[in-house]
């Protein structure tokens, strides 16, 4: 996790691929969205934001591609 400030002073957190995969896995498991800092995302009425079908599909596809890439790497580097 890397934090830095933009030119306008907004603090932004970037995740490496492993942290992003961990975040997506927890979001799929709980069905709720989280920020890059690990806090629960809420809407303007302070209700927790849930994942849409498209968001679930994107996250599961991302995790599947990481799994495929790891299998390929392991097969090449035995």
């Amino acid at each position: 996790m890397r934090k830095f400030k933009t030119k306008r002073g907004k603090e932004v957190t970037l995740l490496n691929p492993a942290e992003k995969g961990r975040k997506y896995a927890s979001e799929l498991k709980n069905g709720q969205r989280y920020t890059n800092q690990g806090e629960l995302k809420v809407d303007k009425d302070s209700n927790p934001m849930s994942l849409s079908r498209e968001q679930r599909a994107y996250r599961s596809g991302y995790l599947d591609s990481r799994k495929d890439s790891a299998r390929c790497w392991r097969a090449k580097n035995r």
Side-chain angles (χ1 to χ4, degrees):
M1 188 177 331
R2 178 149 190 209
K3 295 181 182 182
F4 68 95
K5 286 192 176 185
T6 62
K7 291 179 182 178
R8 295 186 177 190
K10 181 178 178 184
E11 191 169 308
V12 178
T13 303
L14 299 177
L15 302 176
N16 65 35
E19 292 168 337
K20 189 174 177 182
R22 199 173 309 123
K23 175 188 171 203
Y24 283 176
S26 67
E27 286 181 340
L28 285 172
K29 181 180 178 184
N30 298 325
Q32 295 177 333
R33 296 173 63 188
Y34 294 97
T35 64
N36 284 351
Q37 291 87 8
E39 301 164 358
L40 187 63
K41 279 192 176 182
V42 293
D43 60 9
K44 58 186 171 186
D45 298 326
S46 298
N47 296 323
M49 297 175 76
S50 59
L51 292 172
S52 67
R53 293 183 72 200
E54 293 82 11
Q55 290 169 332
R56 283 185 177 278
Y58 178 84
R59 283 156 175 74
S60 64
Y62 181 86
L63 293 174
D64 284 342
S65 70
R66 290 209 17 104
K67 199 181 301 182
D68 290 344
S69 177
R71 286 181 186 155
C72 181
W73 185 87
R74 276 187 251 139
K76 288 183 179 180
N77 297 304
R78 286 192 172 173

